Amino acid sequence: MNEMEIFRALSDSTRRAVFERLASGEKNATELREGLNVSQPAISQHLAILKEAGLIRVRREGRNANYSVAPDGLEPLFAWLERYRSFWPARVERLQHLLKEMDQ
Amino acid sequence: MNEMEIFRALSDSTRRAVFERLASGEKNATELREGLNVSQPAISQHLAILKEAGLIRVRREGRNANYSVAPDGLEPLFAWLERYRSFWPARVERLQHLLKEMDQ
DNA sequence: GAAATACATAAGCGCATGCTTATTCAAAGC
DNA sequence: GCTTTGAATAAGCATGCGCTTATGTATTTC
């Protein structure tokens, strides 16, 4: 189940840090490693998990692996959250209400 | 960090099932256990983790422990998600745009 | 084509995690 | 008061996870 993979993928702080870095644009594995105090294989493994969860994607270019945030990769997370809309924070609930009005 | 706790708490399918059950209203530990194929201590441990993550709360009544979804317990999740607004699914992005217009 | 570079995979290790059974504790029922 | 019930805690165990070093595999560079 993809839903579970997303939660697990994001439950690790190093992976969230990697994901955060990708938010500013495409980066290769070496660039993503900079600053993070982990080995090269560790980054490679984290990237594999994020990719498996559908959160990022790779574009291979020669010997480089360029990673980027997968479009709509967070979609399953929102799909899950929608099931608990009645427990959303007030400001989000206000948004939801607005949308319904707009759709009518 | 609470953010991490939420992701970890929700990364387990049994805990998500418990949370899902609570969405329909307050339930005690025994009721939450029904159907789920785990021991009583297991449920108790899962509930402790969900509570620690701020997702649920307890109301003790005699020897019963009545659990319910914590109001705004998902707030940290939304706070995290907001940092990646540019990667939100299109339908959510539309909502965000609406809110900004309203606030002005 | 040999060396260097970028990355992935393999193997192994320590620790966290989720589970169980056993026990404890408090409230209810008789 | 003793038993039963609801729930938490303790202890122990198997498995999962994140990390490391070592090795493999392309691609680039000279």
Side-chain angles (χ1 to χ4, degrees), chain B residues 25-91:
Chain B
E26 192 181 64
K27 285 181 183 51
N28 64 41
T30 302
E31 289 168 339
L32 285 171
R33 191 187 165 199
E34 286 167 13
L36 300 180
N37 199 25
V38 290
S39 64
Q40 175 265 315
I43 286 290
S44 193
Q45 289 159 13
H46 282 310
L47 288 168
I49 289 172
L50 285 169
K51 183 164 168 291
E52 190 64 26
L55 289 167
I56 64 175
R57 57 181 178 181
V58 207
R59 186 179 60 83
R60 296 197 183 272
E61 189 182 20
R63 62 185 169 188
N64 292 328
N66 301 304
Y67 288 91
S68 57
V69 175
D72 284 359
L74 292 172
E75 164 66 32
L77 197 48
F78 279 98
W80 184 86
L81 279 169
E82 265 188 22
R83 289 152 59 187
Y84 307 100
R85 207 174 56 217
S86 54
F87 299 106
W88 282 16
R91 65 186 160 78

Side-chain angles (χ1 to χ4, degrees), chain A residues 30-98:
Chain A
T30 302
E31 290 167 337
L32 286 171
R33 191 188 164 197
E34 287 166 13
L36 300 181
N37 200 24
V38 289
S39 64
Q40 176 265 316
I43 286 290
S44 194
Q45 287 159 14
H46 282 310
L47 288 168
I49 289 172
L50 285 169
K51 183 164 168 290
E52 190 63 28
L55 288 167
I56 65 174
R57 58 183 179 181
V58 206
R59 186 177 61 84
R60 297 198 183 271
E61 191 180 21
R63 63 186 168 186
N64 293 327
N66 301 305
Y67 288 92
S68 57
V69 174
D72 283 359
L74 292 172
E75 165 67 32
L77 196 48
F78 279 99
W80 183 86
L81 279 170
E82 265 188 20
R83 289 152 61 187
Y84 308 100
R85 209 174 52 216
S86 55
F87 300 105
W88 281 16
R91 64 188 162 76
V92 181
E93 179 57 26
R94 184 159 62 107
L95 273 169
Q96 185 69 20
H97 188 65
L98 260 174

